[in-house]
Amino acid sequence: MHILVTGGAGYIGSVVVEELLAAGHAVTVIDNLSKGHADAVPPEVELIRADLREPTRLRQILREARIEAVVHMAADSLVGESVQRPEKYYNNNMVAGLGLLDAMVEVGVLRLVFSSTAAVYGEPERQPIEETAATRPTNPYGETKLALERALAWYGGAHGLRSASLRYFNAAGASARCGEVHDPETHLIPLVLQVAAGRSPHVTVFGDDYPTPDGTCVRDYVHVVDLARAHVLALDGLERGSCTYNLGCGGAGYSVREVLDVAREVTGAAIPVRVGARRAGDPAVLVASSTRIEKELGWHPRPGALAKIIDSAWSWMRAHPHGYAHN
Ligand code: UFG
């Protein structure tokens, strides 16, 4: 199929592009490069620098490239920032997303894989979280992703749009070509590795008074390559209809302190820590049950992943000490 990947120059998007190509699909990327990196897009893939809020352009791209399905990954995705600047998230995630759906329906492209998030669950009562758990987001990021998920259901009923909403837990790690570079960086694992590399003096742990075994937040870290492979499976699964899937590794997850311990083992660096205040909008624990996608689509994240995840991110960082050459 010919797939349009929105946000395909971003951290997760670029790895999804690699996996789509490996599965034999043709890919076109649309990205406004507000966060993405042109160098992250493989040279054989056309990168269109455009914004999703240009409806005429969007329709033209869908028609002229004869797009058959869309993987929609372009979004803002920072929990803390979303609490400070909700308007940015309502605009860039919800308004732009709805514009994309309208263009797709108008042109007759009726297959979509959507990047959603564990943040739709808020503070769930039970762990691991199943897709049937109540969705009560505690921040505008999760709220706007959930709003688009809900729109997908209604567009499906009215217009025959088939969609897979993939609720990512914590994507981390790198492929051989593509790694994580944000400016500013806010994610735990790259920040920890920057300290290991001697580029910053310490990691701040955001709160150690959570109701978790060591008091720090617990997350479900999933290798970005495993996550990307799920998109290829989800695309195939659209033949059977619309669905929602969690993407995490399950188990007990890892606390912030456990991430630091594994990073010390992988890098051999001391990685000094300071304990700071909680970050607004952070739930204590987010761990997935990914049984549904395992059973329905045969997706299996690699077990024992955290050391491998951190090792892949560390290798990428050392091979690309300045990140990507261009924005
Ligand atoms: N953390 C710190 N110090 C830091 C950075 C992070 O202690 O300097 C903690 C956070 O408080 C959190 C954990 O490390 O408990 C992971 O934080 P990240 O910022 O790496 O990731 P988040 O869990 O906040 O969010 C990520 C994605 C979201 C997604 C969510 C789903 O950024 O898009 O995972 O679990 F919704």
Side-chain angles (χ1 to χ4, degrees):
M1 276 196 286
H2 191 168
I3 319 287
L4 181 69
V5 181
T6 76
Y11 164 49
I12 303 175
S14 56
V15 184
V16 168
V17 168
E18 288 185 315
E19 291 300 320
L20 289 169
L21 293 174
H25 294 293
V27 176
T28 296
V29 165
I30 177 169
D31 199 302
N32 64 11
L33 298 185
S34 63
K35 297 204 200 61
H37 305 270
D39 290 350
V41 178
E44 67 268 38
V45 168
E46 186 186 4
L47 165 62
I48 300 170
R49 187 173 183 168
D51 197 279
L52 292 182
R53 280 157 302 188
E54 299 174 47
T56 313
R57 182 103 191 266
L58 205 48
R59 287 194 296 268
Q60 184 194 6
I61 293 165
L62 290 168
R63 276 201 189 99
E64 286 180 2
R66 297 179 189 279
I67 296 297
E68 296 163 275
V70 176
V71 178
H72 176 39
M73 314 191 67
D76 286 314
S77 62
L78 300 177
V79 168
E81 182 191 56
S82 79
V83 177
Q84 310 300 328
R85 299 182 61 193
E87 63 285 357
K88 187 176 177 196
Y89 284 72
Y90 276 88
N91 257 300
N92 292 353
N93 293 359
M94 215 177 84
V95 175
L98 290 175
L100 173 67
L101 301 193
D102 290 343
M104 289 175 65
V105 167
E106 204 177 314
V107 173
V109 178
L110 296 176
R111 280 181 271 214
L112 177 77
V113 175
F114 172 54
S115 302
S116 188
T117 172
V120 299
Y121 295 113
E123 292 268 9
E125 279 150 24
R126 285 198 312 182
Q127 306 282 342
I129 305 163
E130 295 182 354
E131 289 87 349
T132 49
T135 44
R136 297 190 203 100
T138 53
N139 52 65
Y141 170 54
E143 194 79 67
T144 53
K145 287 284 185 179
L146 183 61
L148 208 68
E149 278 196 19
R150 290 193 169 143
L152 288 175
W154 293 109
Y155 276 64
H159 305 299
L161 179 70
R162 287 188 182 193
S163 62
S165 293
L166 303 182
R167 293 175 175 168
Y168 304 165
F169 283 64
N170 287 56
S175 72
R177 266 192 77 252
C178 301
E180 187 166 11
V181 185
H182 296 110
D183 186 19
E185 187 54 78
T186 64
H187 293 98
L188 180 63
I189 289 177
L191 285 173
V192 164
L193 294 181
Q194 283 176 13
V195 176
R199 288 190 219 153
S200 59
H202 63 266
V203 176
T204 302
V205 173
F206 294 147
D208 65 353
D209 57 351
Y210 283 95
T212 59
D214 67 16
T216 65
C217 287
V218 171
R219 294 288 182 272
D220 185 343
Y221 295 91
V222 53
H223 199 300
V224 68
V225 174
D226 289 335
L227 195 79
R229 287 186 183 142
H231 293 69
V232 178
L233 297 173
L235 209 54
D236 295 341
L238 289 178
E239 295 310 319
R240 290 196 259 157
S242 297
C243 207
T244 301
Y245 296 114
N246 283 341
L247 293 181
C249 294
Y254 293 91
S255 72
V256 174
R257 287 204 186 279
E258 287 171 326
V259 169
L260 283 156
D261 287 342
V262 174
R264 288 184 185 110
E265 275 167 35
V266 168
T267 64
I271 313 183
V273 158
R274 287 192 190 164
V275 176
R278 289 184 177 194
R279 186 172 64 178
D282 270 349
V285 181
L286 285 173
V287 175
S289 160
S290 296
T291 309
R292 182 186 281 176
I293 189 166
E294 288 174 20
K295 277 195 184 145
E296 292 187 10
L297 301 182
W299 180 69
H300 296 288
R302 283 163 283 180
L306 189 62
K308 287 180 200 151
I309 289 171
I310 294 180
D311 190 49
S312 69
W314 182 233
S315 299
W316 195 88
M317 191 187 260
R318 281 183 303 167
H320 304 81
H322 307 293
Y324 291 102
H326 306 99
N327 180 28

